[in-house]
Amino acid sequence: AQSVTQLGSHVSVSEGALVLLRCNYSSSVPPYLFWYVQYPNQGLQLLLKYTSAATLVKGINGFEAEFKKSETSFHLTKPSAHMSDAAEYFCAVSDQNFGNEKLTFGTGTRLTIIP
Amino acid sequence: ETGVTQTPRHLVMGMTNKKSLKCEQHLGHNAMYWYKQSAKKPLELMFVYNFKEQTENNSVPSRFSPECPNSSHLFLHLHTLQPEDSALYLCASSHGTGSLSQFFGPGTRLTVL
């Protein structure tokens, strides 16, 4: 069974400051890992994904995440927050069951940007 | 129109009503999904269809009835819902039932009175 824990349901950072959203996963097999973003009144948009290639993954809008197997973590970072980054962010895990992967989502972290 | 579209965007219904949610994907995908997003809970996968065939029913109550007439359209028929069914219902699609490329629609915000 897989699971995802997102530490902190709400995170506030100042504009221009570092964004760090935490995600820890549990999986009995090598995982695929994802970060999705959801803006108000919209669906989920894929930010980035880890699929067992490079451990540092770069995504859209300047975000990146690093897969750390020893820490079972996949934290999302962005060096400098922008007002447009305000949204809800979801971490998700999937096992590498080719052709029938299922996403297991965390409960989300709402990111607020302080002007 | 491109991507994954869902109609209606908002729906209010009584517990005795029957309504349907519609999802359409314009991406040439063959797998489609229904998810339920409730406040403070993780997204819950409800149903999966691959090439119009249902491949996953995640123990969803029978008051939710999916229909997939073709690979581009997915419906969720609703009847005798409960207030706790109020949520955002998200549709997604992908090439095959792999999670590496799921694209989500904007969702239907459902309120059951």
Side-chain angles (χ1 to χ4, degrees):
Chain A
Q2 309 161 94
S3 66
V4 169
T5 301
Q6 291 185 241
L7 296 175
S9 58
H10 291 85
V11 171
S12 296
V13 301
S14 298
E15 190 175 13
L18 172 71
V19 175
L20 171 61
L21 304 182
R22 299 178 186 274
C23 173
N24 289 88
Y25 70 90
S26 173
S27 178
S28 57
V29 298
Y32 292 147
L33 293 159
F34 308 79
W35 275 100
Y36 282 86
V37 61
Q38 186 177 32
Y39 297 102
N41 301 315
Q42 294 188 29
L44 275 68
Q45 179 182 1
L46 182 65
L47 268 180
L48 49 81
K49 61 188 176 189
Y50 166 76
T51 58
S52 70
T55 56
L56 181 63
V57 181
K58 294 187 184 298
I60 62 172
N61 301 339
F63 284 93
E64 62 182 36
E66 186 172 8
F67 172 68
K68 292 187 176 180
K69 183 178 178 181
S70 61
E71 299 177 8
T72 61
S73 69
F74 191 58
H75 301 331
L76 181 71
T77 60
K78 181 174 180 177
S80 178
H82 192 272
M83 295 300 294
S84 61
D85 295 327
E88 189 148 21
Y89 293 78
F90 295 90
C91 182
V93 64
S94 171
D95 63 30
Q96 295 184 24
N97 181 11
F98 294 105
N100 195 30
E101 291 90 352
K102 297 176 191 175
L103 289 171
T104 299
F105 285 87
T107 51
T109 297
R110 184 168 299 279
L111 177 65
T112 300
I113 310 299
I114 303 166
Chain B
E1 195 151 12
T2 59
V4 181
T5 58
Q6 291 186 242
T7 55
R9 294 292 310 275
H10 300 271
L11 178 62
V12 179
M13 60 187 289
M15 289 190 285
T16 58
N17 292 159
K18 290 185 180 181
K19 297 286 184 183
S20 295
L21 310 185
K22 179 183 176 182
C23 175
E24 184 173 0
Q25 59 94 2
H26 310 269
L27 300 168
H29 292 161
N30 48 268
M32 297 188 76
Y33 311 75
W34 280 117
Y35 287 87
K36 178 183 179 182
Q37 185 178 24
S38 304
K40 302 190 188 309
K41 293 177 67 175
L43 265 74
E44 302 171 57
L45 179 64
M46 300 174 72
F47 302 102
V48 181
Y49 279 81
N50 193 28
F51 290 104
K52 303 188 300 178
E53 298 298 319
Q54 187 180 118
T55 58
E56 183 89 16
N57 177 337
N58 200 19
S59 302
V60 181
S62 59
R63 58 185 183 269
F64 295 91
S65 174
E67 178 189 2
C68 189
N70 54 62
S71 293
S72 298
H73 294 85
L74 184 64
F75 295 88
L76 188 62
H77 303 300
L78 317 171
H79 62 98
T80 59
L81 294 191
Q82 304 298 312
E84 59 265 29
D85 296 322
S86 299
L88 182 68
Y89 289 85
L90 292 166
C91 174
S93 70
S94 67
H95 283 295
T97 50
S99 62
L100 299 188
S101 58
Q102 283 191 30
F103 289 80
F104 285 80
T108 294
R109 173 70 62 188
L110 174 66
T111 301
V112 182
L113 301 176

